Amino acid sequence: MPLGTNTLNFDDEVQRLREKREELLDRVAALDPDNPEAARLEQRGQNIDDYLAGLRWARDEAYEDPDVSVWDADADAVTLCGLTGGEYAGVEDDVRSAALEREQASASGTSRVYMVAHGTVDAPYHDEDYSDAELLAATQQLPYQFLKWAEMHINRMTTVGGQEGNQSFSAAVAERRREMSTDEPN
């Protein structure tokens, strides 16, 4: 049983991300280029560019894309879900097993595919009758930018408690450094 589901309309997401991108442009442009915050915000903007590319593909091109046969219906939305602790652990185990099968030290690159495969409830590339292997094979065909966008939403729904209103640790460290640099010596 997933933590929760969310149906995400492609047009609504494109609009939301365009607005977020504009806000980031203003924030970054106002910062000194040497400010570490500028680099962090620029990376967020580049992620948004990837998400937008993936969404535009899903909305405008996916159904007719000859390279992605698993997207077998025209769609204007997908339904994604958060993973429970057990589901997330299963994804971690699957990723670890995939690395061992390939005799690799890590399979971190495949974790996105596993997250999206297991975090999709309803989408043209998803069939509830698929075996795990078929589901993974179908999800692997999707463009990186779409997978990146879907994974971001799945991660948000998987994360519980304490996220709203709390700073990330790295943001708290940056703030503490600013405070320390403005403190007068004793």
Side-chain angles (χ1 to χ4, degrees):
M1 181 83 181
L3 290 178
T5 62
N6 193 4
T7 299
L8 299 152
N9 177 280
F10 299 142
D11 286 334
D12 293 346
E13 277 292 290
V14 165
Q15 182 62 33
R16 181 185 72 79
L17 288 168
R18 281 182 181 155
E19 290 170 5
K20 187 95 159 153
R21 186 178 189 277
E22 287 299 314
E23 290 172 19
L24 276 174
L25 282 170
D26 290 340
R27 288 177 61 192
V28 172
L31 292 173
D32 183 309
D34 294 330
N35 184 332
E37 181 72 0
R40 188 182 73 74
L41 292 176
E42 282 182 39
Q43 180 58 53
R44 283 180 56 194
Q46 290 168 356
N47 285 338
I48 289 173
D49 286 347
D50 283 343
Y51 303 154
L52 285 167
L55 285 165
R56 285 190 294 264
W57 171 84
R59 182 189 66 192
D60 303 334
E61 303 170 34
Y63 182 51
E64 296 175 357
D65 189 334
D67 296 323
V68 186
S69 61
V70 296
W71 197 284
D72 61 3
D74 196 11
D76 60 0
V78 295
T79 302
L80 303 174
C81 68
L83 304 180
T84 64
E87 291 166 332
Y88 191 86
V91 166
E92 289 179 321
D93 289 346
D94 289 346
V95 169
R96 195 172 308 112
S97 293
L100 291 173
E101 282 178 25
R102 292 188 208 137
E103 298 179 4
Q104 295 176 320
S106 168
S108 61
T110 61
S111 65
R112 177 174 288 124
V113 173
Y114 280 84
M115 287 293 288
V116 175
H118 293 289
T120 300
V121 175
D122 185 34
Y125 58 88
H126 185 275
D127 186 324
E128 62 186 40
D129 294 330
Y130 280 169
S131 67
D132 281 348
E134 291 170 320
L135 183 59
L136 287 170
T139 307
Q140 286 175 333
Q141 291 184 37
L142 302 173
Y144 161 75
Q145 294 94 338
F146 179 81
L147 290 172
K148 192 173 176 178
W149 169 81
E151 180 190 38
M152 176 263 301
H153 277 286
I154 292 163
N155 282 336
R156 282 184 179 170
M157 289 185 284
T158 298
T159 304
V160 295
Q163 293 302 309
E164 290 186 31
N166 289 337
Q167 280 182 317
S168 70
F169 184 78
S170 58
V173 168
E175 183 177 318
R176 181 71 49 93
R177 285 181 177 146
R178 282 191 300 275
E179 289 170 359
M180 291 173 71
S181 69
T182 60
D183 287 346
E184 296 197 21
N186 292 334

